[in-house]
Amino acid sequence: MVLVFEAAFVQAPEHRPKPVVSEVGGIPVIDLAPIHHLDGSLESALPPELEDLVTQVELACREWGFFQVINHGVQPGVVERAWAAARGFFALPPEERSRVRRDEANPLGYYEAENTKNVRDWKEVFDMVIYEPASIPSLAADGKDADEPIQLRNQWPQSPPGFREALEEYAKATEVLAFKLLELIALTLNLPAKRLNGFFKNQTTFMRLNHYPPCPSPDLALGVGRHKDAGALTILAQDDVGGLDVKSQSDGEWVRVKPIPNSFIINVGDVVQVWSNDKYESAEHRVSVNTTKERFSIPFFFNPAHYVMVKPLEELLDENNIARYEEFNWGEFFMARSNSNFKKLDGENIQIYHFKKSK
């Protein structure tokens, strides 16, 4: 597919990428090897090597909201098959990709006109849920919640061969990593390792294939505009082209995440920010593009069940740390955020600060 550059892609001057983005002082790199040498699940009585790992994760979440992991346990062959599936799909003729094009009735499948903060992104995507059917809230004709949720099912293309099998294999392996990371996050909050697992019993986790073609005006457009992830955790595989920029929480400058072979990029989302009562912050990030190279990435968005009510965890609250957020329904929040990606809105999309309690 060839995207045609037009005014819809142009970022406001203050949000356009600079010609050079620093890689100095980048996000932490954490070796997850210690979690693979333990029998059973993570426990409160931690061996020294795991205590050190928890400390590293806590510091990365608090200072960046982002980190890279190596020795993560997802086998290279699994990742390579997912990359091959992604490249094969986006190499198909436009009419083939359009056979599984998403619409407002089913937000799963192929799409090439997504917006972030009401500006079109220079990319094309394919979305899938990791468990079918995935239940999400539905709205009745009066705009209020309907009694029955919508049941979403994936739209699988007939080619390339092995596409579905490769992505289902990758999703299963990445989910294992997601739960290990979730347990590490719980431990950094001085909670039992499995304290958060129950929120994901009927998870709404989904996975995306991103393709960023070469862009004729990378000084004006972005592959994905500045945003924060709505869910709990994101596990991102990126190729060696690079382009992911994270906004530093210390000085507000954009920092390029340098690709590391056989690694994943992890970031905490809005849900973890609320659960932690602002101990951790969902970091703003974006994707820059270039004139010569296409870029691929595969984000895995680890999300709770649609019926989960999100609020600060009670164990973290006391008279000196009162709840900073009103509770909200995850499914409704997720759908409101997703709908704005599909079409432009008249105003700002819903954000977690809309649920922030006044001081």
Side-chain angles (χ1 to χ4, degrees), residues 16-139:
R16 294 172 189 172
K18 296 178 181 179
V20 178
V21 179
S22 174
E23 288 185 349
V24 178
I27 67 173
V29 179
I30 299 177
D31 189 340
L32 292 183
I35 65 174
H36 306 306
H37 301 301
L38 298 175
D39 295 326
S41 64
L42 305 178
E43 300 295 343
S44 297
L46 305 178
E49 66 271 19
L50 195 55
E51 283 189 358
D52 181 60
L53 176 59
V54 170
T55 299
Q56 291 181 58
V57 172
E58 190 274 339
L59 187 64
C61 289
R62 183 159 42 86
E63 294 191 346
W64 281 94
F66 265 79
F67 54 97
Q68 289 196 77
V69 295
I70 57 175
N71 295 319
H72 43 69
V74 181
Q75 295 302 310
V78 172
V79 180
E80 284 304 317
R81 285 187 284 275
W83 282 129
R87 292 189 176 97
F89 175 76
F90 290 117
L92 293 172
E95 60 271 17
E96 286 296 315
R97 278 170 285 167
S98 294
R99 292 180 188 275
V100 290
R101 196 175 192 274
R102 79 185 196 189
D103 54 32
E104 291 190 72
N106 184 1
L108 302 177
Y110 172 74
Y111 198 53
E112 79 299 352
E114 191 163 79
N115 297 282
T116 300
K117 296 188 182 297
N118 283 335
V119 180
R120 189 170 169 188
D121 296 327
W122 187 265
K123 68 175 181 182
E124 52 183 341
V125 306
F126 178 88
D127 286 340
M128 58 168 280
V129 292
I130 70 166
Y131 287 108
E132 296 185 84
S135 296
I136 59 171
S138 175
L139 294 180

Side-chain angles (χ1 to χ4, degrees), residues 324-342:
R324 300 184 180 187
Y325 296 90
E326 302 287 352
E327 73 174 5
F328 60 88
N329 175 265
W330 159 250
E332 294 173 6
F333 182 76
F334 171 66
M335 286 306 296
R337 291 282 293 263
S338 298
N339 287 341
S340 75
N341 295 338
F342 190 83

Side-chain angles (χ1 to χ4, degrees), residues 223-239:
V224 181
R226 72 200 193 284
H227 69 286
K228 299 184 176 187
D229 289 350
L233 296 173
T234 302
I235 300 175
L236 176 76
Q238 70 165 343
D239 64 14

Side-chain angles (χ1 to χ4, degrees), residues 135 198-204 303-309 330-331:
S135 296
F199 295 125
F200 297 82
K201 183 177 180 182
N202 296 298
Q203 59 187 273
T204 54
N303 297 334
H306 75 90
Y307 50 76
V308 166
M309 300 301 295
W330 159 250

